[in-house]
Amino acid sequence: MTSSSAVGEHPRGGGSARIEGTGLAEVLHGAVREALYRLDSVAAAVYLLDEEHEALRVAMIAGSPPSMFTLPYRFALDAPYASARALASGKVAALTDPDPATAGRPYVLPYPYAALAAPVIAGRHRFGSLTVLQLETQGGFRSTDRAALREIGEELATALVRLTDSGVPIEAGPAPTLIPVFHTSVGTPGWGSPDVPGSAGTSLMYPLRNFADLLNQSTTMEHIVAASRHCLMSPFRARALMLVSASEGRLWVLGHSGSTSGLVRTVHGVRLDAHTPAAEAIRGRPLFLSDGPTADAESDRPDGETGAQAYLPLIGSRHVMSPPLTQTSQVVGVCCLAFEGSRDFPPEERAVMGMMAGLLGTAVERVELSTRQREVAEHLQRRLLPTTLSELPRLTTTARYRPATVTFKVGGDWYDVIKVPGHRTVLVVGDVEGHDLDSAAVMGQVRTALVSYATEGHRPAAVIDRTGGLLAALGTDRLVTCCVVALDTCDGTAEVALAGHPEPLARKPDGSVATLHAPANLPLGITARHAYRACEHTLPPGSVLMLYTNGLTDWSVRDPGTHVRAALGVASREAGSDLEELADQLIAEASGPEERRDDAVLLLARYEGAVGADVPRTASLQVQRRDLHGVKEARCFVDDHLRSWALTRMSDTLQLIVSEIVTNALIHAGSDVDVRLRAYADRIRLEVRDSDTNPPVPSPLALDEEENAEAEHGRGLLIVEALAGAWNTSPNGRGKTVSLDLPIPDR
């Protein structure tokens, strides 16, 4: 091993050079220099006891990257490291692969180095240990290596005693001193300049540094896959990358990039006890296959999957317990890499891949935890919202709930459509202060109170007043804002009452947008000296009411109310008479994902007015979850009502459409399904609602093999698309609504 000037010339000859020096750094430097050259090592380090003598902390490391960065910084005295074992036993200790590679089990150490450590002890003085790393390919440590390291350790202990006697404190600094040592005989093909010592190792470390930056900014699995593609897959020239997690006794693909169809088929859904490379790696040991899967795994390899592969365990966060400073961690997944043709995995590459896998593990664990927290918060929020909106003859309604993106906690926004005696309907939106379980609890209490008082027949101002009194009696410290609108569907009278909430808007039939002004009043939760007041407005038939919470507004503008009013006008011109599309347009016009610091609610209601002298033509049907006989009921429901409305010619088409949509909802949503029909003068509207927020996607008839399995149940929607022409899917409070309009043919 040829040295550079980083550590100076080493005295050649028999025996150990005396370790001299008047300072701690000089003495430690002499020890690591001697250990590096005499044992032909890639790294050497001195570990010293900390102030409490409860742990070992590295004081100085000499070597070349990446080996020097694989040495741990601090660990307990009973940790499974060679350094700890040497100090505890007073003898030279080695840490090599406890489960060496064989033809059938080509495993390696987490890092491709073997460690040898000697105690640094002199009489009653126990200082720590001296540790060296060798490449695992060097064949292990010889007896002469053990003797040489023991000798250097004893010489170091003697020098440290001299420093102690002269009053020099023997302790590691807050950060270790690093001594770079570049060797001309150590290089990694394909990395750096072959004529420059240390270029290969330093070049390997650059994508690692970049990787850490990108992963720190990642908030979704798509971000992690993109970072892995740029910093791991591309620099190491892999043709495919796949991230896998384990749950419920099986492996599941989290994300992938490149030509991964074969890998996905081999891994996704495989049992953890299967004899596949990914299942083996999930147990915690990396697996490098220079020529692809071994003969034992041949049966598990998909056709066409050849070439080298690497399987890197992703270790989650290491939690240090103090005392006794033990580390606990678990494997959270596997990173699978596939390459074109055969290739070797030099030790330096394996070391950097191991470091990257460590970064990946914590990032995957963090993102998956965030995803679970978001799902729990959204599920709780949606369970607190109405299951469905009331079916009203002269009023068409739709709602949207959009969660915040910068918090995973449950919000306090809600909406309601309450059918009350007579021809009145009460529309409500509200917002509870905060984002936590207390906010959700208060929201549930307020919503229940509002529904109860409205159902009893109280006017909007009285409903808010009584709810405020109940909230005060409950002793909550949360403020609540809300907007209550009671609409008479016979004459279009809208009575508006507010509790510190944004005023509702109305888009008139001529396209103009007006604000339905009302006294602002105080938010609920503040003791009011005066009774709440309301204000009446009259809406012409065809008007659209818009109620919303302030999470929908863009607070970067000076006047949020004017901004929302303008957005309603623009969206109305683009959406036309389609209320669902109008709601989607308004949500899309709201602030971007990076600004969504608050959840938001949007409630739209179109006042249709009286429908001639006849009974309004609306109908609804509920199909129980998992009841496939409900598909037949839905077809009969459509046929019966179309016949009663003298629209028999449309029955066959609508029966086929409702059959496909209801079947899709029953299979994929696993919830009750609501079917609604509404007859207009020129068209029939069909709405199918379920609890699954994922939109249905029509699948092409020709797909590649990887996507084929997921697409099998999406082809019925092609029939819907062919018959209906245009259809729409929109999220509502607790799922989605699939809607379409069919024109009524001329008689």
Side-chain angles (χ1 to χ4, degrees):
M1 186 176 281
T2 305
S3 70
S4 74
S5 59
V7 293
E9 291 295 329
H10 178 261
R12 302 289 177 178
S16 171
R18 181 180 176 85
I19 298 176
E20 301 286 356
T22 58
L24 180 61
E26 187 179 359
V27 168
L28 298 183
H29 184 198
V32 295
R33 177 186 60 184
E34 186 75 12
L36 270 175
Y37 286 100
R38 288 192 64 186
L39 277 77
D40 195 24
S41 304
V42 294
V46 175
Y47 284 89
L48 298 177
L49 285 166
D50 65 2
E51 296 81 356
E52 293 80 18
H53 285 210
E54 293 180 346
L56 284 171
R57 195 166 65 202
V58 65
M60 182 175 288
I61 304 174
S64 59
S67 61
M68 63 193 306
F69 296 109
T70 64
L71 288 160
Y73 168 67
R74 176 188 174 98
F75 47 83
L77 298 181
D78 59 351
Y81 293 116
S83 305
R85 293 175 180 175
L87 180 61
S89 65
K91 301 176 182 179
V92 175
L95 183 64
T96 56
D97 193 346
D99 188 12
T102 64
R105 293 177 61 85
Y107 293 124
V108 296
L109 286 168
Y111 292 118
Y113 307 108
L116 186 70
V120 181
I121 300 175
R124 61 182 179 83
H125 296 282
R126 300 175 73 250
F127 296 106
S129 57
L130 173 64
T131 304
V132 295
L133 298 181
Q134 283 187 355
L135 296 176
E136 62 172 13
T137 55
Q138 290 180 250
F141 296 104
R142 300 163 296 181
S143 59
T144 54
D145 294 330
R146 294 172 179 268
L149 192 63
R150 182 187 302 110
E151 185 179 351
I152 300 170
E154 291 171 352
E155 184 66 27
L156 173 60
T158 301
L160 293 179
V161 169
R162 290 197 302 269
L163 292 179
T164 301
D165 293 341
S166 62
V168 176
I170 308 301
E171 57 185 25
T177 300
L178 301 184
I179 309 295
V181 181
F182 301 133
H183 304 283
T184 58
S185 62
V186 177
T188 304
W191 294 91
S193 176
D195 299 326
V196 180
S199 176
T202 306
S203 299
L204 273 164
M205 296 301 293
Y206 182 79
L208 176 68
R209 176 69 181 82
N210 215 16
F211 199 32
D213 280 344
L214 291 177
L215 290 180
N216 283 337
Q217 301 169 30
S218 298
T219 57
T220 67
M221 200 58 63
E222 288 76 15
H223 294 162
I224 292 179
V225 171
S228 302
R229 180 173 61 251
H230 294 308
C231 300
L232 176 55
M233 178 181 165
S234 179
F236 286 91
R237 299 174 178 85
R239 66 170 175 80
L241 174 144
M242 182 172 62
L243 301 180
V244 180
S245 68
S247 65
E248 300 176 352
R250 294 184 180 273
L251 297 175
W252 307 103
V253 174
L254 298 174
H256 54 90
S257 181
S259 304
T260 57
S261 59
L263 282 175
V264 170
R265 288 197 303 271
T266 307
V267 172
H268 193 61
V270 170
R271 292 175 57 89
L272 292 181
D273 56 2
H275 295 293
T276 62
E280 296 285 356
I282 200 73
R283 295 163 197 164
R285 296 176 61 77
L287 184 63
F288 296 94
L289 307 173
S290 298
D291 300 308
T294 63
D296 291 342
E298 191 73 25
S299 61
D300 298 314
R301 182 177 63 185
D303 295 338
E305 281 298 308
T306 60
Q309 296 178 358
Y311 296 85
L312 310 173
L314 306 182
I315 309 299
S317 303
R318 292 172 172 85
H319 305 287
V320 179
M321 310 298 292
S322 178
L325 292 176
T326 56
Q327 290 188 344
T328 60
S329 59
Q330 63 178 355
V331 180
V332 297
V334 174
C335 175
C336 311
L337 294 169
F339 302 83
E340 292 287 356
S342 301
R343 62 157 290 174
D344 292 327
F345 295 94
E348 292 79 9
E349 282 193 346
R350 282 186 272 149
V352 173
M353 284 183 180
M355 295 178 189
M356 288 184 166
L359 297 175
L360 260 177
T362 54
V364 167
E365 184 181 47
R366 169 173 52 81
V367 168
E368 285 207 295
L369 177 61
S370 299
T371 300
R372 288 194 297 271
Q373 289 176 333
R374 180 182 287 110
E375 288 174 350
V376 169
E378 289 185 16
H379 178 74
L380 177 57
Q381 177 74 49
R382 295 185 191 281
R383 294 299 297 176
L384 292 171
L385 294 174
T387 306
T388 59
L389 299 180
S390 299
E391 182 70 21
L392 305 163
R394 299 182 180 90
L395 195 67
T396 305
T397 58
T398 190
R400 299 289 184 271
Y401 170 73
R402 189 203 64 187
T405 56
V406 298
T407 179
F408 306 133
K409 298 179 180 179
V410 64
D413 290 22
W414 87 95
Y415 61 85
D416 253 319
V417 177
I418 308 165
K419 191 174 182 179
V420 297
H423 300 286
R424 292 197 312 134
T425 300
V426 178
L427 309 174
V428 180
V429 296
D431 186 2
V432 180
E433 175 189 19
H435 289 86
D436 51 30
L437 291 178
D438 285 344
S439 299
V442 172
M443 185 259 276
Q445 293 169 335
V446 173
R447 181 180 168 225
T448 301
L450 282 169
V451 171
S452 299
Y453 292 134
T455 304
E456 288 178 357
H458 296 287
R459 305 290 288 271
V463 168
I464 291 179
D465 201 358
R466 288 170 178 260
T467 302
L470 177 62
L471 199 61
L474 293 174
T476 180
D477 58 353
R478 299 301 174 98
L479 297 182
V480 181
T481 69
C482 66
C483 170
V484 179
V485 178
L487 178 63
D488 190 318
T489 57
C490 284
D491 59 13
T493 301
E495 186 175 359
V496 181
L498 305 174
H501 200 85
E503 295 173 312
L505 304 176
R507 188 204 67 186
K508 302 296 181 62
D510 61 2
S512 62
V513 177
T515 301
L516 301 187
H517 296 291
N521 298 316
L522 292 174
L524 304 179
I526 298 178
T527 303
R529 295 183 178 180
H530 306 287
Y532 285 86
R533 294 177 298 154
C535 186
E536 282 192 358
H537 301 266
T538 301
L539 301 178
S543 298
V544 175
L545 270 172
M546 174 178 167
L547 285 69
Y548 62 97
T549 59
N550 56 17
L552 193 71
T553 59
D554 183 355
W555 290 104
S556 63
V557 299
R558 180 169 299 180
D559 187 353
T562 301
H563 176 79
V564 174
R565 191 163 56 248
L568 176 58
V570 173
S572 297
R573 288 191 293 272
E574 296 178 359
S577 61
D578 192 324
L579 204 63
E580 300 289 347
E581 186 175 343
L582 175 59
D584 292 339
Q585 290 275 358
L586 288 168
I587 286 291
E589 286 291 330
S591 56
E594 69 280 357
E595 299 177 86
R596 285 160 51 178
R597 299 185 177 277
D598 194 8
D599 49 345
V601 153
L602 170 67
L603 177 60
L604 297 179
R606 182 171 57 234
Y607 169 53
E608 309 287 359
V611 186
D614 300 330
V615 177
R617 299 185 296 178
T618 62
S620 63
L621 169 73
Q622 185 176 63
V623 179
Q624 297 295 319
R625 60 184 303 187
R626 299 192 181 95
D627 179 14
L628 292 181
H629 295 292
V631 177
K632 180 179 179 181
E633 293 179 22
R635 290 197 298 266
C636 294
F637 162 79
V638 167
D639 184 57
D640 291 344
H641 283 87
L642 289 181
R643 287 180 183 277
S644 67
W645 296 339
L647 296 171
T648 307
R649 286 182 295 171
M650 304 182 66
S651 180
D652 290 343
T653 300
L654 264 175
Q655 283 188 68
L656 184 54
I657 290 174
V658 78
S659 177
E660 294 296 338
I661 299 178
V662 170
T663 299
N664 192 70
L666 288 172
I667 291 175
H668 294 288
S671 69
D672 293 347
V673 178
D674 289 319
V675 182
R676 299 191 180 193
L677 275 180
R678 183 183 293 266
Y680 295 92
D682 59 345
R683 69 191 188 280
I684 291 287
R685 162 155 290 221
L686 171 68
E687 296 179 358
V688 179
R689 306 182 183 188
D690 60 55
S691 65
D692 185 11
T693 57
N694 294 318
V697 179
S699 302
L701 294 177
L703 292 166
D704 63 46
E705 195 171 356
E706 179 179 338
E707 298 172 341
N708 193 52
E710 295 182 6
E712 192 64 34
H713 298 291
R715 291 174 182 160
L717 293 175
L718 291 175
I719 300 174
V720 175
E721 200 166 62
L723 294 174
W727 58 281
N728 184 58
T729 177
S730 305
N732 54 48
R734 292 178 61 176
K736 66 174 178 297
T737 300
V738 177
S739 60
L740 57 90
D741 290 316
L742 284 180
I744 296 176
D746 295 333
R747 298 181 183 277

